[in-house]
Amino acid sequence: MPYPARFAAAALGPLAWVWTGLVLGVSFFATPIKFQAASLARPVAFEVTGVTFAAFNRIEIAAAIVLLAAALLARRPLVIALCAAAAAIVAVQAAWLLPELLQRVELVQAGQELPPSPVHALYSGAEIVKVAALVVTGLAAR
């Protein structure tokens, strides 16, 4: 196996695990905990969350590109499929789900009370599927 392919194959697992940790930290720990802070006003919590997810989405786009490139270089079909799935989820989040949610943040900041959104549930479900794809990538990359 040529050196770039060996390097890419060796990097797949660590890249997948780092990205998994980032998603867990931002989406599953920091964000829900933020909304438990009694002194943090709801509109401010939504604003901070919106800024966080917008910035994190850019990081995830970079992570998706790097991980998918490594999978392609390593020529691991299962890992390529998993990385492509994670990348597709990030693309859907960037192009549709996140803009919808950020628009809701603006409405909340303007003082509107909004009913729960199915977009939020879709985003959360996508996060779960993305983490599952990344965990399996990390395990399959060994």
Side-chain angles (χ1 to χ4, degrees), residues 24-66:
L24 291 173
V26 171
S27 296
F28 294 98
F29 296 112
T31 298
I33 290 169
K34 185 183 323 162
F35 285 94
Q36 293 177 11
S39 64
L40 186 60
R42 188 169 177 244
V44 174
F46 277 109
E47 180 183 9
V48 171
T49 300
V51 171
T52 301
F53 275 89
F56 186 55
N57 186 254
R58 291 188 295 274
I59 292 167
E60 284 197 291
I61 289 169
I65 291 167
V66 170

Side-chain angles (χ1 to χ4, degrees), residues 10-11 25 37 41 53 70-71 77 103 141-142:
F53 275 89
Q103 185 177 36
R142 300 184 327 154

Side-chain angles (χ1 to χ4, degrees), residues 21-133:
L22 289 169
V23 174
L24 291 173
V26 171
S27 296
F28 294 98
F29 296 112
T31 298
I33 290 169
K34 185 183 323 162
F35 285 94
Q36 293 177 11
S39 64
L40 186 60
R42 188 169 177 244
V44 174
F46 277 109
E47 180 183 9
V48 171
T49 300
V51 171
T52 301
F53 275 89
F56 186 55
N57 186 254
R58 291 188 295 274
I59 292 167
E60 284 197 291
I61 289 169
I65 291 167
V66 170
L67 189 60
L68 188 54
L72 289 167
L73 272 172
R75 296 187 175 153
R76 307 275 299 275
L78 172 63
V79 175
I80 291 169
L82 292 164
C83 293
I89 290 168
V90 170
V92 168
Q93 288 175 321
W96 172 47
L97 297 173
L98 188 59
E100 288 280 332
L101 291 171
L102 292 176
Q103 185 177 36
R104 289 177 60 83
V105 167
E106 289 176 10
L107 294 173
V108 168
Q109 288 178 304
Q112 292 187 26
E113 280 293 321
L114 301 175
S117 169
V119 175
H120 186 264
L122 287 171
Y123 193 97
S124 299
E127 289 291 87
I128 292 167
V129 173
K130 181 172 43 182
V131 165

Side-chain angles (χ1 to χ4, degrees), residues 9-23:
L12 282 170
L15 290 169
W17 291 119
V18 167
W19 187 3
T20 301
L22 289 169
V23 174

